[in-house]
Amino acid sequence: MRAAIYERTGSAGEVLQLVEIERPEPKAGEVRIKLEWSGVNPSDVKSRAGSRSKLLPFPRITPHSDGAGVIDAVGENVPKARLGERVWTWNAAWGRPNGTAAEYVTLPSAQAVRLPDNVGTDVGACLGIPALTAFHAVEVDGGVRDKTVLIAGGAGAVGYYAIQFARLLGAANIISTVSSAEKAVLATHAGADVCINYRSENVDARIGEITGGHGVDRIVEVNFGANIAIDLKALKPDGHIVVYGSDAAEFTLPFVPLIVKNVCLRFFIVYNLDSDTRARAIAKLTSLLESNQLRHNISHRVPLDRIAHAHELVEFGRSVGNVVVAI
Ligand SMILES: NC(=O)c1ccc[n+]([C@@H]2O[C@H](COP(=O)([O-])OP(=O)(O)OC[C@H]3O[C@@H](n4cnc5c(N)ncnc54)[C@H](OP(=O)(O)O)[C@@H]3O)[C@@H](O)[C@H]2O)c1
């Protein structure tokens, strides 16, 4: 089968290669998926670039955790009824060498989730990381019903879904930060009530005006290192900051403003959701997909032989939306 691989970290153009390798066979408890689309996320790009570690956990890696396609073989103990099922994947490249940038992937059966008939497999390749991250960030720690929520970076792959989930889970007021008019249109399209351009406006002052000086109940944070000062001013006492991203690998936090506001700070990585939390998120996501309540924003569809280009779109912030690779 054709697969994209890398055997060392480095720039996309230098290290990503297309090769012919043996098609995998599903072991007991596994399914094999004939992939149609593979989703590219920032963490795939960071792992390949070596920005977390220069050392590879495996000698050869096929990247990407997210993907979608059709089950074409099942291992022992997996019902034959799954053959032919359209599915999307999660964690395919987390702690594993064989991700979805290939014609086939084998995975434990639970990591292949039924994709509703009304949803395309290109969209299926955007669910494992962007949609589940967005859902958890909004739902965790009591959710957002009747709350005022700030979604930082609401035009991002995660942010666009986070605004929608905040709306669908009953938020009273959704504010989003963006960096351009184009991104404001997208965040508004997703359901934001107000967009603030964080590059040209004073975010705290605007949030003060919008909330009558009270601040927001929850912040869903894409870039904590950059936004700590803004977040501490924008948050209500007893509010939650849910952090899923930070460009800075290290930062300092001011103790006094955090403690006097009784701030609840929640960090999480979607790869490590516990199984009950993940199952709840998948069930809710499936029902929202089935009832066509979600919008999707795939900005680029790139053929597998241009996978390096797909990585560069994500790595250098040249995509406004999800990037998927056609297998
Ligand atoms: N914890 C997890 O499980 C998890 C899961 C998914 C993603 N992530 C991380 O989350 C980050 C975003 O992922 P993504 O796929 O959504 O990427 P993306 O599609 O590139 O979106 C990021 C968005 O954030 C905006 N942004 C950047 N700095 C900002 C700031 N200081 N204030 C407000 N907005 C800002 C960007 O727009 P501008 O640059 O134009 O402002 C962009 O719209 C990445 O660091 C990724 O590694 C973590």
Side-chain angles (χ1 to χ4, degrees):
M1 69 169 183
R2 245 163 41 118
I5 58 152
Y6 58 96
E7 294 174 324
R8 61 190 169 93
T9 57
S11 72
E14 272 175 14
V15 304
L16 284 168
Q17 321 164 36
L18 271 190
V19 294
E20 277 293 324
I21 57 174
E22 210 174 309
R23 189 174 68 170
E25 294 301 325
K27 299 194 188 78
E30 290 187 339
V31 298
R32 183 173 68 201
I33 304 164
K34 185 171 184 349
L35 290 152
E36 295 175 5
W37 296 93
S38 176
V40 187
N41 285 283
S43 81
D44 300 312
V45 165
K46 291 173 198 174
S47 299
R48 183 269 306 147
S51 53
R52 289 183 178 137
S53 164
K54 301 275 176 232
L55 295 177
L56 291 190
F58 305 99
R60 185 172 72 185
I61 291 176
T62 289
H64 306 171
S65 279
D66 288 1
V70 177
I71 293 179
D72 84 324
V74 295
E76 261 175 62
N77 306 329
V78 177
K80 294 265 183 299
R82 292 211 76 181
L83 287 167
E85 188 180 319
R86 297 166 74 251
V87 292
W88 57 275
T89 67
W90 53 270
N91 283 16
W94 179 247
R96 296 166 28 96
N98 302 315
T100 63
E103 285 180 285
Y104 296 87
V105 69
T106 51
L107 279 172
S109 183
Q111 284 175 242
V113 180
R114 181 182 68 82
L115 186 66
D117 292 344
N118 56 321
V119 182
T121 44
D122 51 353
V123 167
C126 307
L127 302 176
I129 293 178
L132 286 185
T133 301
F135 182 82
H136 187 67
V138 169
E139 192 254 4
V140 69
D141 296 333
V144 295
R145 180 157 299 284
D146 301 328
K147 306 279 189 203
T148 296
V149 186
L150 168 62
I151 310 278
V158 175
Y160 186 73
Y161 282 120
I163 293 175
Q164 297 182 66
F165 289 130
R167 182 98 289 150
L168 290 161
L169 297 187
N173 196 6
I174 303 170
I175 304 167
S176 178
T177 51
V178 291
S179 62
S180 67
E182 178 202 4
K183 290 189 173 185
V185 169
L186 270 170
T188 305
H189 191 241
D193 298 296
V194 184
C195 290
I196 304 174
N197 186 322
Y198 74 92
R199 295 219 176 118
S200 61
E201 298 182 78
N202 180 328
V203 177
D204 313 325
R206 284 291 314 280
I207 288 179
E209 283 161 26
I210 296 162
T211 62
H214 295 296
V216 301
D217 298 287
R218 173 175 301 224
I219 299 174
V220 173
E221 185 52 81
V222 65
N223 193 353
F224 193 46
N227 290 338
I228 291 166
I230 293 173
D231 290 356
L232 285 177
K233 287 188 198 145
L235 195 70
K236 259 186 197 168
D238 293 306
H240 287 70
I241 305 176
V242 182
V243 178
Y244 68 91
S246 174
D247 286 353
E250 291 187 17
F251 41 75
T252 54
L253 292 174
F255 176 66
V256 174
L258 280 162
I259 201 161
V260 296
K261 256 193 181 174
N262 290 8
V263 172
C264 182
L265 197 50
R266 154 76 67 172
F267 291 81
F268 79 94
I269 190 154
V270 72
Y271 294 121
N272 285 340
L273 293 185
D274 67 65
S275 52
D276 286 351
T277 303
R278 184 180 297 279
R280 264 206 326 275
I282 288 175
K284 182 69 181 173
L285 176 59
T286 302
S287 93
L288 292 172
L289 289 167
E290 280 170 342
S291 51
N292 266 324
Q293 292 192 71
L294 289 176
R295 293 167 186 258
H296 311 281
N297 179 33
I298 296 177
S299 59
H300 294 84
R301 292 171 174 79
V302 180
L304 183 60
D305 57 11
R306 299 199 65 217
I307 185 172
H309 172 62
H311 271 225
E312 286 161 358
L313 289 168
V314 173
E315 188 165 7
F316 303 114
R318 294 185 195 134
S319 67
V320 184
N322 301 86
V323 176
V324 291
V325 169
I327 306 297

